[in-house]
Amino acid sequence: MSENAFCEMLADDLRDVFFNPEEFGEVVTISRGDSAFQVRAMFDSPSMQGQSLGTDAKVISHQPRIFFSVAELPENKVEKGDIVTLSAKMPLHGAGNYEVVDFAEESDGMIVCHLHEVGCEL
């Protein structure tokens, strides 16, 4: 299999399964300044995990994240401070507003954003 064929299969799988609202994906709204865009994404809210502080004390960390295809994003990018609005997708998660606090563009054409939940007064 050629590298190009593998890349095409990966792009097809991402679009048809992972970003498909009938499967794992959903349509979310990204608000940037006075503009709002609807794009397909995959939201993930990892389980809370205790992290050792070197003593018997543990800290609980929880950092929701969202995955986008670069090709679907406005201007093919996200920006810190963008607000992502999710509708409820039960039983996976409730509705919410999240601010993009950091992101990484991966070599497979996806952008992974780390989010912080913000209030609903947007």
Side-chain angles (χ1 to χ4, degrees):
M1 173 186 313
S2 72
E3 183 178 320
N4 192 36
F6 175 76
C7 291
E8 289 176 19
M9 280 186 352
L10 177 62
D12 290 345
D13 286 347
L14 288 171
R15 182 188 61 249
D16 296 341
V17 178
F18 294 99
F19 292 122
N20 180 347
E22 298 297 318
E23 300 291 341
F24 298 107
E26 56 196 283
V27 176
V28 302
T29 301
I30 298 175
S31 300
R32 182 180 301 157
D34 293 333
S35 300
F37 311 89
Q38 288 196 320
V39 297
R40 294 186 312 161
M42 184 175 60
F43 180 73
D44 181 31
S45 186
S47 302
M48 293 182 156
Q49 298 178 7
Q51 297 178 348
S52 175
L53 297 175
T55 64
D56 287 338
K58 289 190 177 236
V59 62
I60 301 292
S61 66
H62 176 72
Q63 190 172 28
R65 58 191 176 170
I66 197 161
F67 299 77
F68 297 106
S69 169
V70 172
E72 288 209 15
L73 290 168
E75 301 174 13
N76 296 326
K77 65 179 183 177
V78 292
E79 296 178 0
K80 289 182 181 180
D82 282 354
I83 302 297
V84 178
T85 302
L86 286 81
S87 299
K89 185 167 183 170
M90 300 315 252
L92 300 176
H93 63 78
N97 295 308
Y98 297 85
E99 180 179 4
V100 174
V101 294
D102 202 5
F103 59 89
E105 188 169 339
E106 303 294 343
S107 61
D108 60 4
M110 290 183 26
I111 291 183
V112 181
C113 300
H114 292 275
L115 306 172
H116 174 74
E117 191 166 15
V118 295
C120 295
E121 62 273 352
L122 299 174

